[in-house]
Amino acid sequence: MVALTPISRTPVSFYVPVVAAAGAFAGLLVGTARDNSLLGVVLGALLLAAIAFAVTQLIENERLARWAIFAVFALAGLVMGGLPALVVGAAFGLFFGWFIFWLFEGRYRERLAPYLTPGQVLWHYSFRVICGMIFFFLITPIVVVMPLSFNAEDFFTFTPEMLQFKPEGYSLKHYEDFFTNADWQQALWNSVRIAPVATLLSVSFGTLAAIGLSQPHVPFRQVIMAILISPMIVPLIISAAGMYFFYSRIGLQGTYLGVVLAHAALGIPFVIITVTATLVGFDRSLTRAAANMGANPVTTFFKVQMPLILPGVISGALFAFITSFDEVVVVLFVGSAGQKTLPWQMFTGLREQISPTILAVATILVVVSIALLTTVEMLRRRSERLRGMSPG
Amino acid sequence: MSDTAASGPVMSADGVPLKRSLNRALRAQKIRALALIAPLLLFVLITFIAPIADMLFRSVENQIVRETLPETVQRLGDWDADSGEPPSEAVFTALYADIFLAAERKLHTRLGSRLNYEETGASSLFRKTGRRVDRFDTDIYTDQITDLDPAWEAGATWAALFEAREARSALPFTARSWERWTDFVINEEEDDPLEEDVPDFLYTALYSELADGAGAGLDPRVDQVIDALPGFETVSVREQFLDADEDWGGADIWRTIQTYSPAYTSGYFLNAVDMEKGTDGPQFRPENEQIYLTLFKRTMFMSMVITFSCILLGYPVAWILANLPARTANLLMILVLLPFWTSLLVRTSAWKVMLQQQGVINDTLVWLGLVDDGSRLVMINNQFGTIVAMTHILLPFMILPLYSVMQTIPPTYLRAAKSLGATNWTAFWRVYFPQSVPGIGAGSILVFILSIGYYITPEIVGGTTGTFISNRIAYHISSSLNWGLAAALGTILLAVVLVLYWLYDQIVGIDNVKLGG
């Protein structure tokens, strides 16, 4: 991004009070932790104002000044509260080092339109901070789970040892439990046995139907589409209730086949949506060209159409897979103890015995979902590139 | 033009009218398209639509009373429920036959629990009666009839008697009871009814019909019984039932049986909205028994709060994603998509870890000194926990549609508005916001639909005050086994969702549902 506005150093009367305000806020946090908020605010403001003035007026070298602030804050943290406070102090140090010079050099104006009023600049950055907090809200719960899964104790929370980064606070025992415990392994095995078969069913039926649906003349297209999409819209508890009633009538309740069929039905809308979306960009003249050159419809499908829509099919398959792999409500009702899947085991774990093994499983699943997310993103880009929709 | 008009319709090369040959080609295309769709459609119809239809059916189905107590239901037809009196001896005799057979088939407890949903105490009433029914003093009829002719003890005598059509029409109740009993013995006990002891209730049934003056001239043995009738020692079947449980003497249980005797009932639906069938039509239950309306209201209210929080948190994020340079936006998008792709159970367990009293948030607050260690915040197992966790879980569903709408809004509009003298706020409120409303609509409906049917998260972090209607449905399916009520609650929920879905279709169109950006 290019600089929009020429920048110049700001006056002392601007940046010292702003840094002091930030310092007061930091001081409030530290002060409250030490049972004296007011003193914290005053000390924080004074300290930061002094530091800001000192480093900008006395130390000309910015890099040196920032390292100095970082070191001082880290050391102060260590003295005040040991290792955990050292990390917090270091973070404060990094932030203030950057913040002071960001304000002092006027860099905050650099990338903004020159005509903005100070109020608008302030709003611009406050908005960024708000968004940052929302992103923080989105990602924290997932991130917090990961270190906790290495807990050496059977707690769901950080132990003092963990916070002091002592090696004895961490262990792999919950992972070990997951890989050796018969219940968890059975659940994993069941998930692995159910999800791919359900995916295969929904993908093969779904791709065919999507191709049918994207033909130019389909009678009752709206109605058919509504029916095929309905498993995604109907709340899971209702699907689960209906399937439980109906499958127990026809003897599928509590069987492997029942669960697979139910999951396949739930995965179908995702396949339909992704594959029809890919087919929108599909050039029909290609199939005609293939037919023109003597290929029969089956050859045309596998040699011409399939390679082009493959990214859509695969991402539909991934959606169907994750739907089945993640699904717990339907399997809870349609399945019996013999079909206990991983999410089901986690669900009972969360409801009954709280074991941190759940967190180990959760971490593994987060890693799996990162892998899936990457795959889908890459497929989407490849598909767009193939269809010439975006240069990326 | 006049040339073609004179020579008839336009022909194709092979001499068939063009219109017809086009139509044929079109039909072939349609059939091919349908043939491709058919397997999936069939699959979805069987595995998904049929179960939903089954649930709808179960919400009104009520065969059990009529199937278990057919004779009673028939005779109870003319009983006046407002009289406050129990029905006549004839009804009790019919009930005796019905309950005896039901107890043999072990169905009386099921009927009891069914009626217990409507009338508390019905379950124990039927259980008690079922235990007592084969020890009724009605064996005096058995003894008196078999004393007249020991042949009555043999099943063959009864079978021979009801072979004849006249006997079946003259003594319909006894004939039907005999048939039901033999059916039961043959099909469920897999025995020969002719070798079994004829049960007491058949003698009682025979006596009651003969005493009403039916059956004369059918068979010498029957006539013999009729002749001896005046000298018979009698016993009141009603007294026998009253001995077993005195609730039979009140009108309440009879009114319930009568009300729930039709094969289809609106009772489950009435229950689902906290109403009951009273003496003069449906009426609301007393205030303190109204749980479902409260639950529906709470589900609606909390879903709205969740939707609103999602708008509040999702709007800025979608805005910044749409207005940042592509590279940065793609990086930040990962922060939105990662939660979207992460297992629901993982996110729910994460919130359990975060919110509990010894959890991460409380620990942080205590460490910061904002909260005293003794007075940690209660953030889980209540509405707050459900709202926070579900807002987090559903936020991506708000951000993604908002983002795709905001991407289409040219940033130049805002600049144009500002250059024409609008303030920041006016420019946003009058120019940008109206264009983003479709995104808000799509996202809100999506989030609302998803949240009113949520089960897992409220179950784990909701405690008792933060649960939804879906938790009640699950409870009725797996714990209280009141499937009819579960189906009725589910049907109401489904209706709400379908209306919202229809709205969504009007606003966004189902074809435009986008997944993962």
Side-chain angles (χ1 to χ4, degrees), chain B residues 340-413:
Chain B
F340 180 73
W341 274 94
T342 307
S343 166
L344 169 67
L345 261 299
V346 172
R347 285 180 281 166
T348 311
S349 20
W351 278 110
K352 188 147 184 160
V353 170
M354 302 275 289
L355 293 175
Q356 61 184 323
Q357 288 210 287
Q358 300 298 325
V360 176
I361 293 182
N362 264 316
D363 277 355
T364 314
L365 291 178
V366 168
W367 188 66
L368 286 176
L370 294 177
V371 168
D372 193 44
D373 197 17
S375 56
R376 283 167 177 259
L377 302 179
V378 182
M379 292 183 291
I380 202 166
N381 295 333
N382 54 21
Q383 298 202 353
F384 180 80
T386 309
I387 289 172
V388 170
M390 284 186 56
T391 303
H392 175 258
I393 287 167
L394 297 174
L395 193 50
F397 291 96
M398 178 64 82
I399 294 177
L400 294 175
L402 265 177
Y403 170 66
S404 63
V405 168
M406 284 184 181
Q407 260 189 325
T408 63
I409 306 176
T412 43
Y413 285 12

Side-chain angles (χ1 to χ4, degrees), chain A residues 25 53 62 105 107 112 118 156 242 245 248 256 270 277 337 371:
Chain A
F25 183 69
F53 187 78
E62 181 188 337
E105 300 283 354
R107 283 179 202 141
L112 297 177
F156 250 33
F245 295 148
S248 42
Y256 169 72
F270 297 98

